[in-house]
Amino acid sequence: MRLILLHGFLMNGAAIRRQWGRIARELEQEVQVLAPDAPLTPPAEVVQRSYASWGVKPIAGPHRAWWRATEDESSYEGWERSHEQLMALVNQGPYAIAGFSQGAAAAALVCAWARLGQMRTPEFAVFVGGFVPRAVAFSKLFEEPLGISSIHVSGAADII
């Protein structure tokens, strides 16, 4: 069994692994924990502008993304590369998936395609600080329940 951890926007696999810290170390006694880097590298000005708007100190790079949303968030540029990477990863055998923020939305897309039979179905999913993908191309994917056991974590201060 594998647990695939998907990091948030402008994070990377090492950062999500650090966030999960002790939990990941404990889980590794029973399952393989994978934390891949997303394939896209946003421009430096996007990194600077985003962290400034969030009011937090930037994490150490590399800064990666599963997609770049257009200004109106109606489409996700670069998602095709992420889709290919994730499809190859999840179709290797039994797995569970967990994601934070943009990574949680990417995990939701994996679950939606699994429900349609286009990807292997995860054993369960964990969504932390996630959101439903807003790109127009994905709107029909979430009209029906995903039908996968899941845990959703959000906080009162979560602005997304």
Side-chain angles (χ1 to χ4, degrees), residues 35-132:
D37 286 341
L40 304 177
T41 304
E45 63 270 9
V46 169
V47 174
Q48 293 167 352
R49 187 175 55 243
S50 297
Y51 276 104
S53 72
W54 299 334
V56 297
K57 181 182 171 200
I59 65 160
H63 300 101
R64 309 298 289 199
W66 299 103
W67 63 77
R68 282 209 44 212
T70 55
E71 192 68 34
D72 64 359
E73 297 189 29
S74 66
S75 66
Y76 291 167
E77 298 169 354
W79 169 250
E80 300 79 18
R81 288 178 54 200
S82 296
H83 181 258
E84 289 172 13
Q85 177 182 339
L86 293 171
M87 183 175 272
L89 194 58
V90 305
N91 285 332
Q92 291 177 13
Y95 74 101
I97 194 162
F100 169 72
S101 191
Q102 188 185 61
L109 286 166
V110 168
C111 293
W113 278 306
R115 181 176 49 79
L116 297 175
Q118 297 175 11
M119 288 188 176
R120 185 183 194 106
T121 302
E123 299 296 318
F124 63 88
V126 178
F127 305 102
V128 180
F131 54 91
V132 175

